[in-house]
Amino acid sequence: MAIVEEGKEFEMCVVFGGRGFIGKPLVDRLLRLGNWIVRIADSFPTIQLEPSESLLSHALSSGRASYFHVDVRHKSNIITAIDGASVVFYMDARDSYGHDFYISYTIVVQGAKNIIAACQECKVKRLLYNSSADVVLNSWQDINGGDESLPYSSKFVNMVTDLKAQAEALVLVANDADGLLTCALRPSYAFGPGDNYLSSLLVGVAKSGWGKFIIGLGDNMTDFTYVENVAYAHICADKALNSRGSHVCGKAFFITNLKPMKFKDFVSLVFQRLGYQRSIIKIPDMVTQYVTLIIKWTVSRMSNWSTENVPVFDIIELALCHRKFNCSAAQKYIGYSPVVSLEEGVAVTAKSSQLTRESSFSSYSDTDEESKVHKLLGGGKVAEILLWRDEQRTFTCFLLLVFIHYWFFLSGRSFLSSLSQLLLMIAVALWGYSILPPTIYGISVPRISWSFFEISEVDMRNCFYNVAYMWNRVSHLAKLLAQGEDWHIFLKAAIPLYVLKLVISDCLTFALGVALALAFTSFLIYEQYEDEIDSTANVIFSILKVAFTLLMRRLPLPQALLYSDSEIGSSRLNIKQ
Ligand SMILES: NC(=O)c1ccc[n+]([C@@H]2O[C@H](COP(=O)([O-])OP(=O)(O)OC[C@H]3O[C@@H](n4cnc5c(N)ncnc54)[C@H](O)[C@@H]3O)[C@@H](O)[C@H]2O)c1
């Protein structure tokens, strides 16, 4: 089915999932080869080009490329897209339907069946399926140089991988039926620009502060594959299929960058390129493994929330297990070898994520921008004092507060007696000041004007408004508590009150002293080490959030408070839309 245009011979192919992470570079490479007419088939209603896709834009306007809106669940759509083509590359959807079995099944397995049937009906010559190295993975089991003789997994890492294995088997079994030749490629941990899985997960880890931790020794070897190499492998495999090699037709091949790497080295390389700190804190692998298993077990027992397809669990497993594949069959039979090195791939990926440390973490001292803590403190006089902007003023305030603390709490007097003594001292000082002569030894003594002691009407009104507002909030809270349905509100009110009671009865003086010292030091320290403190706090908060969510699920909370449920609900809603 070669097409001859202007004396040049073209072959027509269709790339299903051509707007996805792996599909895009494949389309780009096919167009660069110059002997293909490329049909891009995807589920987006129209093709939205990015500014960097000038080659594709040109090909679309010259007719060398065209776009088809398809849903692989409907065979008639597929037939329209592939009619007249000789080759079909099939990249199915990646884990995008969470744990909805029905949707995943219809897209991955039924979609593969539809594609095979349509290829046979339209007399397509070659079908290449983008599978995954995951189809041979058993949960928590090492693979050390495994080759294509490995059987399919008996304990799939997740439901979608199970379905992918079925789709792959269907494609391979269809080889040589009705003149269709098929093969499958199994890339191992593909990464690259536009990847919303491995690369974006690592970027997220680096940003969140979890990147400071190394799980286990980090010495386990893993094969990663740069996305351009996956695209190139598809083209190599198509050539090999075309020559009808018996080692290629109906076979699957592992695809890697041929450079297995220690997991921690790969992560360090990514972090380094992104300008983030390398991992420094080691967590024993047994601890991580058991904690992960306990969280997964607890979550599955307590709710209908599935931990499948939660990328962080995949990353933990990846960080602890060897995932090394033997890629020599792909080298030998389809003539594959990587065209982009791992280091280059990481550099391009990091650049594309536009998250270099310089751009995302500018130091406040280098700019006029207010720091986060300055904004947090309201950006006014209090912020200026607590952040030691004017050292003399801050020091005076500090001494004044230390004096007040001493006078009321450390002097051993009762509160009323301290207050009356202080008022007496102020009255005597004011009276003494007022009888001073206007000049003493030639130095004039300034008079204090009466307006100094006045409180303006506006300030008084604001003060009353604030009191009224606080009173209304407290009475609203009391009303909610009296209804007795909301555990969340009850805990929110009871815990701080109990802590306050403990502090007042046992160690108020000590607590106020500590608070005073902290107020004048902690904000300053936070401003200096904001990045480090934020990332550590992120780690602690995410642990507490998981613990809190689990705890809340055990309590009879109103449905609205189970935010994870509502999130799951809304994501289901989106999928159905
Ligand atoms: N990213 C990786 O690390 C990796 C590694 C190995 C294998 N794989 C596998 O390769 C395949 C492609 O991966 P990807 O990362 O490019 O996925 P992707 O989600 O980026 O791309 C899939 C494309 O399929 C399209 N699509 C979704 N539903 C569709 C439907 N019903 N009909 C037609 N098109 C539909 C999507 O719009 C998307 O453009 C997946 O099966 C994935 O499991 C990915």
Side-chain angles (χ1 to χ4, degrees):
M1 272 181 264
I3 299 162
V4 181
E5 264 181 29
E6 295 166 6
K8 205 172 165 191
E9 223 176 72
F10 290 93
E11 225 179 337
M12 188 183 287
C13 67
V14 188
V15 181
F16 282 90
R19 296 304 288 157
F21 164 58
I22 297 177
K24 274 187 190 176
L26 175 59
V27 168
D28 188 66
R29 194 162 272 277
L30 287 163
L31 289 174
R32 274 191 279 135
L33 283 176
N35 57 340
W36 288 97
I37 292 180
V38 184
R39 287 179 177 175
I40 301 160
D42 208 302
S43 55
F44 300 108
T46 55
I47 186 164
Q48 304 285 338
L49 294 184
E50 283 156 28
S52 57
E53 294 182 295
S54 55
L55 177 67
L56 178 56
S57 158
H58 185 69
L60 285 168
S61 47
S62 69
R64 287 258 334 274
S66 50
Y67 182 73
F68 288 77
H69 171 212
V70 295
D71 185 337
V72 290
R73 288 171 289 184
H74 307 296
K75 205 174 102 188
S76 55
N77 282 193
I78 303 172
I79 289 186
T80 318
I82 66 175
D83 194 24
S86 53
V87 183
V88 167
F89 297 96
Y90 180 31
M91 325 280 130
D92 55 11
R94 183 192 174 96
D95 308 348
S96 40
Y97 300 98
H99 58 282
D100 190 321
F101 176 78
Y102 178 71
I103 300 182
S104 301
Y105 179 84
T106 50
I107 291 179
V108 181
V109 181
Q110 192 57 47
K113 284 183 188 170
N114 289 343
I115 295 246
I116 294 166
C119 284
Q120 289 168 340
E121 215 171 302
C122 296
K123 302 286 172 234
V124 169
K125 289 180 188 162
R126 304 182 295 277
L127 168 62
L128 294 101
Y129 178 58
N130 191 78
S131 180
S132 166
D134 291 3
V135 295
V136 298
L137 294 185
N138 287 316
S139 257
W140 297 107
Q141 225 176 52
D142 289 332
I143 293 204
N144 237 322
D147 63 14
E148 288 76 3
S149 63
L150 284 172
Y152 285 122
S153 166
S154 54
K155 196 181 165 202
F156 287 101
V157 286
N158 57 44
M159 180 243 310
V160 177
T161 310
D162 185 347
L163 297 177
K164 277 195 77 72
Q166 296 179 40
E168 184 197 274
L170 287 169
V171 170
L172 297 181
V173 163
N175 179 57
D176 225 2
D178 292 324
L180 179 70
L181 300 178
T182 66
C183 82
L185 299 183
R186 296 170 174 175
S188 167
Y189 299 108
F191 72 95
D195 165 24
N196 55 17
Y197 188 67
L198 184 62
S199 324
S200 69
L201 194 66
L202 287 181
V203 170
V205 166
K207 277 174 78 181
S208 68
W210 282 99
K212 290 198 170 53
F213 299 94
I214 305 171
I215 300 171
L217 292 175
D219 281 341
N220 51 309
M221 300 297 280
T222 306
D223 265 312
F224 298 94
T225 319
Y226 185 58
V227 67
E228 283 285 345
N229 295 329
V230 182
Y232 176 64
H234 275 275
I235 289 165
C236 296
D238 177 58
K239 260 193 206 154
L241 263 190
N242 197 18
S243 57
R244 305 186 67 90
S246 62
H247 290 293
V248 182
C249 301
K251 299 285 185 313
F253 297 94
F254 287 118
I255 301 295
T256 71
N257 243 69
L258 299 181
K259 195 178 174 188
M261 221 176 181
K262 283 183 186 166
F263 178 75
K264 72 167 182 219
D265 291 346
F266 180 76
V267 174
S268 295
L269 196 63
V270 174
F271 284 9
Q272 193 187 330
R273 284 287 176 177
L274 288 169
Y276 287 92
Q277 196 185 9
R278 283 160 181 255
S279 312
I280 38 171
I281 304 165
K282 284 194 178 161
I283 308 178
D285 47 359
M286 290 300 267
V287 172
T288 320
Q289 197 165 339
Y290 284 122
V291 168
T292 310
L293 287 175
I294 290 169
I295 292 177
K296 280 186 168 187
W297 180 82
T298 318
V299 170
S300 66
R301 290 296 297 266
M302 282 175 154
S303 66
N304 59 357
W305 188 40
S306 166
T307 53
E308 262 198 11
N309 305 320
V310 177
V312 74
F313 292 124
D314 293 349
I315 274 281
I316 289 174
E317 200 169 326
L318 180 60
L320 290 175
C321 298
H322 288 274
R323 294 288 151 86
K324 208 170 91 177
F325 298 94
N326 182 342
C327 188
S328 51
Q331 288 176 282
K332 191 167 166 192
Y333 299 119
I334 67 172
Y336 163 78
S337 62
V339 282
V340 180
S341 72
L342 208 65
E343 290 75 12
E344 262 178 275
V346 170
V348 176
T349 311
K351 200 169 165 203
S352 81
S353 76
Q354 292 175 334
L355 271 166
T356 52
R357 197 171 176 82
E358 297 83 56
S359 62
S360 59
F361 291 99
S362 54
S363 151
Y364 293 108
S365 54
D366 296 342
T367 66
D368 291 338
E369 203 194 331
E370 277 181 6
S371 68
K372 205 177 356 167
V373 67
H374 191 265
K375 283 183 197 153
L376 193 81
L377 290 169
K381 276 185 193 155
V382 175
E384 301 284 312
I385 290 171
L386 293 181
L387 294 171
W388 293 77
R389 295 287 194 262
D390 176 346
E391 284 167 17
Q392 205 178 340
R393 191 156 69 150
T394 302
F395 195 62
T396 313
C397 287
F398 178 68
L399 282 185
L400 193 68
L401 289 172
V402 168
F403 168 75
I404 291 173
H405 184 240
Y406 166 78
W407 192 260
F408 283 98
F409 297 98
L410 294 173
S411 60
R413 288 183 293 261
S414 72
F415 181 78
L416 276 181
S417 127
S418 295
L419 183 66
S420 51
Q421 275 202 42
L422 185 67
L423 289 176
L424 182 64
M425 274 169 57
I426 292 172
V428 170
L430 284 175
W431 180 78
Y433 190 78
S434 70
I435 59 166
L436 286 178
T439 48
I440 301 173
Y441 300 113
I443 302 168
S444 64
V445 177
R447 296 284 113 194
I448 303 174
S449 90
W450 286 115
S451 64
F452 185 78
F453 299 102
E454 271 178 15
I455 300 174
S456 76
E457 207 181 311
V458 178
D459 285 344
M460 266 326 265
R461 206 178 295 141
N462 285 344
C463 182
F464 277 108
Y465 280 151
N466 285 336
V467 171
Y469 172 74
M470 275 161 61
W471 176 262
N472 286 339
R473 281 201 64 172
V474 171
S475 69
H476 177 66
L477 181 68
K479 218 193 279 174
L480 287 176
L481 284 172
Q483 284 167 359
E485 288 166 4
D486 205 330
W487 275 95
H488 198 241
I489 301 261
F490 172 72
L491 290 178
K492 253 174 135 178
I495 294 172
L497 283 175
Y498 186 70
V499 172
L500 192 68
K501 180 226 149 214
L502 284 183
V503 170
I504 289 180
S505 61
D506 292 345
C507 51
L508 181 64
T509 306
F510 175 72
L512 284 176
V514 171
L516 186 62
L518 284 180
F520 281 84
T521 51
S522 57
F523 296 112
L524 185 71
I525 294 172
Y526 178 70
E527 196 178 49
Q528 306 293 320
Y529 300 99
E530 191 181 301
D531 296 348
E532 288 77 5
I533 295 171
D534 275 0
S535 54
T536 313
N538 259 338
V539 171
I540 295 167
F541 277 133
S542 33
I543 293 172
L544 289 178
K545 205 171 142 193
V546 171
F548 187 71
T549 309
L550 293 176
L551 179 72
M552 284 292 133
R553 280 169 188 280
R554 302 208 67 171
L555 299 175
L557 289 176
Q559 199 60 21
L561 289 171
L562 293 175
Y563 62 88
S564 310
D565 272 0
S566 59
E567 272 171 20
I568 290 171
S570 65
S571 69
R572 278 199 198 120
L573 215 65
N574 287 338
I575 290 163
K576 293 211 166 108
Q577 279 161 1

